[in-house]
Amino acid sequence: MTADSWTEAAIPDLSGRTAIVTGANSGIGYEATDMLVANGAHVVMAVRNQERGEAAAEDIRGGLPGSFTVRTLDLASLDSIGSFSQEIQTEYDQLDFLFNNAGVMAIPRSETEDGFETQFGVNHLGHFALSAQLLDLLIAGDQESRIITQSSGMHERGVIDFDDLHHEQSYDRWDAYGQSKLANVLFAYELQRRLERTELESVRSVVTHPGYADTKLQQRGPEQDGSTLRLWLMKLANTLFAQSARAGAWPMLYGAIAPSIEGGEYVGPTGLLNMRGNPGVQESSDRSSDEEVAERLWEVSESETGVEFQIE
Ligand SMILES: NC(=O)c1ccc[n+]([C@@H]2O[C@H](COP(=O)([O-])OP(=O)(O)OC[C@H]3O[C@@H](n4cnc5c(N)ncnc54)[C@H](OP(=O)(O)O)[C@@H]3O)[C@@H](O)[C@H]2O)c1
């Protein structure tokens, strides 16, 4: 099926395939989980709050033939990422898909347990550390596996500020979000280059964005600020302009499953302003293709998280 017409109806039987979805209790992660389970996959729903995860799991409409389990993963804690990865290493022999999807957007400045600015810490560093610790399970399967990292069109606004990565000197919530989402693209491309150099062709790294999807993402900043007016405006904008969370999850599924997708590709909706519609391959920003910045970011990410990829 071509990109112009791809919908979830094109998802093949995924029986016997195992996926981890971060942020699986809400929005795009929830819808991706539902589609994977409906098509026979086994999904580890990785959620930061077990209760919220269990509540979301009750609504999984897919039901049989797939299955799922809910596990705690707080991407704002390197300890939690380590424990989660250990648990998965013990219970699973291999993985087929890792969806690095969870995220926060434009929240007031805060820090993770390890002292990282939260948007950079959760959206990029947390997923970096998680991917490193699960890579051997992704390599282990008989079939090709994929790491799908969720970015945003907002990566185009991003600049990696190596002098103030955690925005300690000055903080603009949208600049911080843009930096974290640019880091997602740089990471996904650099991972693909390293996999290729190591001739690990059974794993592909793909980066996606959902366009503009109606989820809770847009509410989190105003909620934390206690701004009822901004909360109301965000909800109104979602109602008027956003596509459904379900359609927002299509690029991740397309990026994970379509045989035509190569490692190192950027996938998003191809409709109006790349904000909605059927998924396809797109161009990311020039800054996201800067290999020097990507290498430097990789080194900084290893040293900040204390986690190394066992490739190269
Ligand atoms: N919606 C859009 O228009 C849009 C556009 C561009 C990119 N994106 C990207 O799409 C991804 C999914 O967002 P969404 O739109 O589905 O928003 P959402 O409904 O707010 O879902 C975000 C998910 O991330 C989880 N999360 C937040 N902090 C976490 C942490 N410390 N550890 C583990 N999980 C954490 C949330 O858990 P809780 O529910 O427990 O808070 C939730 O499950 C994000 O990466 C976002 O940047 C979305």
Side-chain angles (χ1 to χ4, degrees):
M1 191 164 288
T2 66
D4 292 347
S5 58
W6 194 96
T7 70
E8 65 191 80
I11 301 174
D13 178 20
L14 298 172
S15 304
R17 311 213 77 193
T18 302
I20 293 180
V21 180
T22 69
N25 63 296
S26 180
I28 291 164
Y30 170 79
E31 296 295 344
T33 301
D34 191 60
M35 286 184 260
L36 290 161
V37 171
N39 287 283
H42 172 71
V43 179
V44 178
M45 298 176 70
V47 299
R48 81 166 135 171
N49 178 292
Q50 192 69 22
E51 258 177 47
R52 279 200 291 276
E54 305 278 359
E58 281 182 16
D59 292 335
I60 295 288
R61 299 183 292 275
L64 292 173
S67 59
F68 54 85
T69 177
V70 182
R71 299 301 165 91
T72 307
L73 167 69
D74 183 358
L75 289 157
S77 159
L78 290 172
D79 275 354
S80 171
I81 297 166
S83 309
F84 173 85
S85 304
Q86 275 298 324
E87 201 178 306
I88 298 296
Q89 293 279 0
T90 309
E91 289 179 40
Y92 294 87
D93 297 333
Q94 59 93 37
L95 290 172
D96 298 288
F97 308 106
L98 170 60
F99 292 92
N100 287 328
N101 163 74
V104 280
M105 178 178 84
I107 52 171
R109 190 178 186 283
S110 60
E111 291 185 358
T112 67
E113 196 176 286
D114 306 287
F116 307 144
E117 183 280 312
T118 300
Q119 298 190 72
F120 191 63
V122 169
N123 299 358
H124 168 61
L125 290 174
H127 282 124
F128 180 91
L130 180 70
S131 305
Q133 290 173 83
L134 295 177
L135 184 64
D136 54 346
L137 286 183
L138 287 144
I139 294 168
D142 296 337
Q143 298 187 57
E144 182 215 83
S145 62
R146 296 193 196 177
I147 299 176
I148 300 94
T149 300
Q150 182 78 289
S151 180
S152 161
M154 286 290 290
H155 84 270
E156 292 183 20
R157 173 182 176 145
V159 177
I160 306 294
D161 183 357
F162 287 106
D163 294 329
D164 190 20
L165 266 185
H166 298 290
H167 300 279
E168 288 158 310
Q169 291 157 30
S170 68
Y171 183 70
D172 174 294
R173 62 183 71 194
W174 288 105
D175 285 349
Y177 182 65
Q179 172 177 265
S180 74
K181 290 287 140 183
L182 174 61
N184 288 147
V185 189
L186 288 162
F187 160 66
Y189 290 170
E190 180 64 18
L191 176 57
Q192 179 60 29
R193 283 190 288 271
R194 289 179 184 238
L195 289 167
E196 282 170 15
R197 284 206 292 270
T198 321
E199 295 182 6
L200 273 172
E201 275 149 27
S202 64
V203 186
R204 290 187 207 183
S205 167
V206 175
V207 60
T208 62
H209 79 95
Y212 180 10
D214 182 11
T215 68
K216 292 195 179 137
L217 188 77
Q218 300 83 2
Q219 301 169 24
R220 313 239 180 203
E223 268 168 9
Q224 287 187 32
D225 286 331
S227 169
T228 314
L229 176 64
R230 279 186 39 237
L231 185 60
W232 184 83
L233 286 173
M234 283 292 189
K235 283 185 179 170
L236 181 67
N238 275 16
T239 309
L240 293 176
F241 304 117
Q243 62 175 345
S244 66
R246 187 81 168 184
W250 286 356
M252 282 209 311
L253 272 291
Y254 181 71
I257 286 156
S260 60
I261 294 296
E262 304 284 347
E265 285 189 319
Y266 176 67
V267 174
T270 54
L272 183 69
L273 302 172
N274 295 335
M275 303 251 266
R276 56 172 59 243
N278 305 92
V281 175
Q282 295 173 356
E283 292 280 315
S284 60
S285 69
D286 288 347
R287 274 198 289 268
S288 70
S289 301
D290 187 325
E291 296 190 21
E292 269 178 43
V293 171
E295 269 189 47
R296 189 171 169 198
L297 177 67
W298 187 280
E299 279 155 25
V300 170
S301 304
E302 283 191 333
S303 95
E304 297 243 334
T305 60
V307 177
E308 289 190 3
F309 274 78
Q310 299 304 316
I311 44 177
E312 294 198 297

